[in-house]
Each structure stands twice: as structure tokens, then as C-alpha cells.
């Protein structure tokens, strides 16, 4: 039994696209494109907390229809989302940091660049399987597809590891379910994702936190980011809001 367990773990580890096995993320952009992206990444990190996360969440919602369009262009109609994509990012341009301990803990108001713990938050948050290139029909579309899936913004660690996991999950389900639709509607995406964010936040807020400071911090984080996300959705549904 022990021998079987060891063999199973080894096979799982070597099978790079197993959903349970983390994959080292690779960069996509090169040369001038990479330089321009990193300059913009650094510039956006200078934004105040609310603006930075508002812009990031809005870009996420607005970019999913483009990801859907590029998927159809790159792979055609005979390839399933699950044949070429996986839940969890595999490509990444931009990096966060955990190294400057002179910076601030998250106060939910400072510029992102002034925070101690910052992640590179993905725009799409979904991965591309290692053999996806063998199924490509349109190389130009596939390159743009890779660039979009690798794109990130500087966001707080708390946002990236909490509310954005819910967004990632919602995006994954939408792409799988609606891959054959002609187009994806931005307002429908916003409404559906908001429902899941609100449900997750409700669950988090319902937990007792009197004797657990870390849980209280998590609840505050969810509350802050959910408020920002609700504003994004309201503005998408009513641009004149």
C-alpha cells in the first residue's frame, strides 16, 4: 500500500496539468512589450487602494468577453475549454512583493506601492494547459490569448487570495458553460459574479470573530473588497450611475 501511494504521488507530481499540482508560471511578453507592460504595472501600483482595486476588478469583468472571443478564434469550435484550459493560472507577467518590511500593513487606503504585501493579480485567473498549443487553429489569436491570460495588476495580497478566488471560480464556470455562445455579455457576467461574491461575503461575515483576530481581519478585508466590487458592477450596469 505504501509503495502504491508513493508511485501515485510521483505520477501526480510529474503530470503537470493535474488540477491539484501547482505549475510554475511562465512569462509571456518579451522585449519592448514586456518593458511597456512592467512600466504600466509600476505606474498603476501608485494608485490609491480603492482606485487600484476598482480599476482591476472592472478590467477583469470587461476582459472576460475578450478571453472568450480569443478562445474561439484560437481553437475553433471542436475544442472544449477543459481540453486546453485549467483552473489556476499558468502564465504570468508582472510580480508582487513580500520583501520590503519597512512598508505598511494593509490599511485599505494607502497606495498599493506603499503596502508590505502585494500580489500580481491576474485579469483572467485561469491557466493554459501545457499541450494547448497542439490544438491551436490560429497562432496570432493564441498569442493574444496567452498575453491576456498572463496579464496582471498590482493588488493587495488579501484581495488576490480572498475575493478574487471567488471571481476566478466564477470565470471558470462561465467559460466552460458558455464557450459556444457567439459572445459573452459584460452585464450578465457582472451580475452573475456579483451574486457569488455577495454569497461568499455573507458566509464570511456570518462567522463569529470575537476571539479570533485573524478572522476579524479577513472579515474586514472581504467587506472592503466587496464594497469596491459592488461599485464596479453598479457602474457596468449603469454607466451614468
Amino acid at each position: 500500500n505504501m509503495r502504491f501511494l508513493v508511485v501515485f504521488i510521483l505520477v501526480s507530481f510529474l503530470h503537470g496539468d493535474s488540477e491539484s499540482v501547482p505549475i510554475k508560471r511562465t512569462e509571456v511578453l518579451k522585449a519592448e512589450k514586456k518593458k511597456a507592460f512592467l512600466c504600466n504595472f509600476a505606474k498603476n501600483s501608485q494608485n490609491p487602494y480603492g482606485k487600484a482595486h476598482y480599476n482591476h476588478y472592472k478590467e477583469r469583468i470587461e476582459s472576460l468577453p475578450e478571453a472568450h472571443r480569443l478562445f474561439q478564434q484560437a481553437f475553433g469550435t471542436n475544442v472544449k475549454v477543459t481540453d486546453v484550459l485549467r483552473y489556476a493560472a499558468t502564465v504570468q507577467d508582472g510580480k508582487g512583493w513580500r520583501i520590503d518590511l519597512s512598508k505598511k500593513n494593509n490599511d485599505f487606503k494607502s497606495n498599493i506601492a506603499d503596502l508590505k504585501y502585494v500580489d500580481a493579480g491576474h485579469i483572467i485567473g485561469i491557466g493554459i494547459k501545457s499541450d494547448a498549443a497542439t490544438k491551436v487553429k490560429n497562432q496570432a489569436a493564441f498569442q493574444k490569448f496567452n498575453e491576456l491570460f498572463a496579464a496582471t495588476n498590482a493588488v493587495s495580497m488579501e484581495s488576490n487570495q480572498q475575493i478574487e478566488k471567488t471571481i476566478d471560480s466564477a470565470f471558470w464556470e462561465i467559460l466552460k458553460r458558455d464557450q459556444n455562445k457567439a459572445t459573452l455579455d459584460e452585464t450578465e457576467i457582472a451580475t452573475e459574479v456579483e451574486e457569488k461574491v455577495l454569497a461568499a461575503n455573507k458566509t464570511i461575515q456570518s462567522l463569529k470573530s470575537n476571539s479570533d483576530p485573524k478572522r476579524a481581519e479577513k472579515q474586514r478585508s472581504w467587506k472592503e473588497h466587496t464594497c469596491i466590487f459592488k461599485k464596479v458592477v453598479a457602474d457596468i450596469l449603469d454607466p451614468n450611475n
Side-chain angles (χ1 to χ4, degrees):
N1 288 340
M2 180 60 69
R3 175 187 249 175
F4 173 80
L5 178 61
V6 171
V7 171
F8 176 79
I9 292 172
L10 180 59
V11 170
S12 297
F13 178 79
L14 293 175
H15 189 270
D17 281 329
S18 169
E19 296 296 321
S20 61
V21 177
I23 289 181
K24 182 178 180 181
R25 294 171 183 169
T26 56
E27 294 181 337
V28 171
L29 296 177
K30 308 293 183 185
E32 292 303 311
K33 274 191 173 183
K34 178 178 179 179
K35 182 179 179 180
F37 174 84
L38 293 178
C39 284
N40 193 55
F41 185 93
K43 180 181 178 181
N44 288 341
S45 74
Q46 299 296 328
N47 283 329
Y49 196 92
K51 181 178 180 181
H53 287 84
Y54 176 95
N55 290 346
H56 175 62
Y57 298 160
K58 193 166 189 287
E59 185 176 4
R60 294 202 67 177
I61 296 295
E62 292 173 342
S63 296
L64 193 62
E66 177 67 359
H68 174 264
R69 185 185 72 81
L70 288 171
F71 169 83
Q72 292 182 334
Q73 281 193 350
F75 298 104
T77 57
N78 295 322
V79 175
K80 293 182 179 179
V81 161
T82 51
D83 290 338
V84 293
L85 302 183
R86 54 165 280 162
Y87 181 68
T90 54
V91 290
Q92 179 174 319
D93 290 315
K95 292 181 180 180
W97 57 82
R98 299 278 193 282
I99 55 175
D100 192 345
L101 298 181
S102 68
K103 294 188 176 184
K104 302 177 180 179
N105 288 321
N106 194 351
D107 58 5
F108 302 100
K109 59 184 180 181
S110 295
N111 292 358
I112 299 299
D114 295 331
L115 299 180
K116 189 181 296 183
Y117 302 107
V118 171
D119 283 355
H122 281 81
I123 304 302
I124 302 300
I126 295 168
I128 302 171
K129 289 186 176 181
S130 57
D131 63 347
T134 64
K135 300 176 176 66
V136 169
K137 306 295 183 185
N138 183 322
Q139 288 293 337
F142 185 57
Q143 177 60 29
K144 292 179 180 178
F145 186 77
N146 270 275
E147 291 176 5
L148 178 56
F149 275 60
T152 63
N153 288 309
V155 297
S156 69
M157 176 186 69
E158 291 84 355
S159 171
N160 193 46
Q161 297 183 12
Q162 295 172 9
I163 188 175
E164 296 200 53
K165 296 300 183 184
T166 299
I167 299 172
D168 293 346
S169 177
F171 278 13
W172 178 235
E173 294 305 319
I174 290 169
L175 282 181
K176 287 191 298 179
R177 183 191 67 216
D178 297 338
Q179 73 165 72
N180 293 321
K181 278 190 174 182
T183 59
L184 294 187
D185 183 87
E186 189 178 299
T187 60
E188 291 178 0
I189 294 169
T191 301
E192 180 173 339
V193 177
E194 183 184 38
E195 288 179 359
K196 294 184 177 180
V197 165
L198 292 177
N201 180 57
K202 183 178 180 180
T203 298
I204 295 295
Q205 301 305 330
S206 69
L207 302 175
K208 294 182 180 180
S209 60
N210 295 343
S211 58
D212 189 343
K214 288 186 177 180
R215 181 174 291 175
E217 289 174 7
K218 185 175 183 180
Q219 288 175 322
R220 183 191 174 188
S221 173
W222 266 92
K223 182 178 179 181
E224 295 279 353
H225 297 123
T226 298
C227 285
I228 297 171
F229 191 80
K230 287 173 64 178
K231 174 61 175 170
V232 167
V233 173
D235 288 348
I236 288 174
L237 297 182
D238 183 4
N240 299 317
N241 184 23

